[in-house]
Amino acid sequence: MKDLKGIVKEYSNGEVTIIWKPEKCIHSTICWHGLPDVFNPEIRPWINPQAASSPKIIEQVDKCPSGALSYFYNDKTKEEIKKTDKPKSEETTIEVIPSGPLLVTGNLRIVKKDGSIDLKQEQIALCRCGCTKNSPYCDGSHITVCFKG
């Protein structure tokens, strides 16, 4: 398997730039089922930001459960983007993805089996198939083991 560690790809339509970090991708397929004209794994490059409006792209990228996809506006500095980020909800939600991970959104404190703690204020994907190599997080192994659940 190809080592994807540290790879970051950027795709821009001039107004917004989509950032893709393949090592974080869990292959939920939410991106290409939701906006197949922009996200199409059958062609290269697989992201075509010219195929939809920036608001549609942003709406779809915000649904990425792993954080593999993100974006920034080209006319704003990273500091300005942080100030305009949506406020995080105090509520924690858990969504079961059919034959995939648990999507957990909210302010999270995760205690791992070695006792280390991850603090997250975002959406994460937790493994349900038991085959991840990055426990407790989903790494997409459910696809290769044909997990059903």
Side-chain angles (χ1 to χ4, degrees):
M1 182 175 186
K2 187 177 177 182
D3 184 16
L4 302 175
K5 211 157 191 61
I7 294 175
V8 177
K9 303 264 184 166
E10 294 185 1
Y11 306 87
S12 182
N13 66 6
E15 182 178 26
V16 70
T17 296
I18 302 166
I19 302 165
W20 180 50
K21 297 178 181 176
E23 75 178 290
K24 293 183 83 174
C25 187
I26 62 169
H27 309 288
S28 68
T29 71
I30 290 170
C31 57
W32 58 275
H33 280 117
L35 202 56
D37 291 339
V38 173
F39 304 99
N40 185 341
E42 299 296 318
I43 60 173
R44 296 292 176 261
W46 80 281
I47 297 176
N48 177 9
Q50 307 299 328
S53 69
S54 294
K56 289 273 190 202
I57 291 170
I58 290 166
E59 179 182 350
Q60 194 61 43
V61 167
D62 281 343
K63 295 176 183 175
C64 179
S66 65
L69 292 172
S70 61
Y71 66 90
F72 64 85
Y73 290 100
N74 295 350
D75 65 347
K76 293 186 179 182
T77 67
K78 289 185 180 181
E79 202 54 44
E80 287 176 312
I81 292 167
K82 286 180 186 174
K83 290 178 184 173
T84 59
D85 278 349
K86 295 182 277 187
K88 302 297 180 186
S89 171
E90 293 296 318
E91 181 177 71
T92 299
T93 59
I94 300 173
E95 178 183 355
V96 178
I97 299 299
S99 301
L102 291 174
L103 298 184
V104 184
T105 306
N107 297 316
L108 309 169
R109 181 177 188 267
I110 301 158
V111 181
K112 299 194 293 189
K113 66 182 175 187
D114 66 1
S116 64
I117 296 172
D118 286 345
L119 298 175
K120 305 278 186 175
Q121 275 194 324
E122 58 189 66
Q123 188 174 63
I124 62 166
L126 298 176
C127 178
R128 283 199 308 143
C129 74
C131 296
T132 184
K133 291 173 182 58
N134 188 26
S135 182
Y137 306 107
C138 175
D139 68 0
S141 293
H142 57 275
I143 294 171
T144 56
V145 300
C146 299
F147 174 72
K148 302 288 181 219

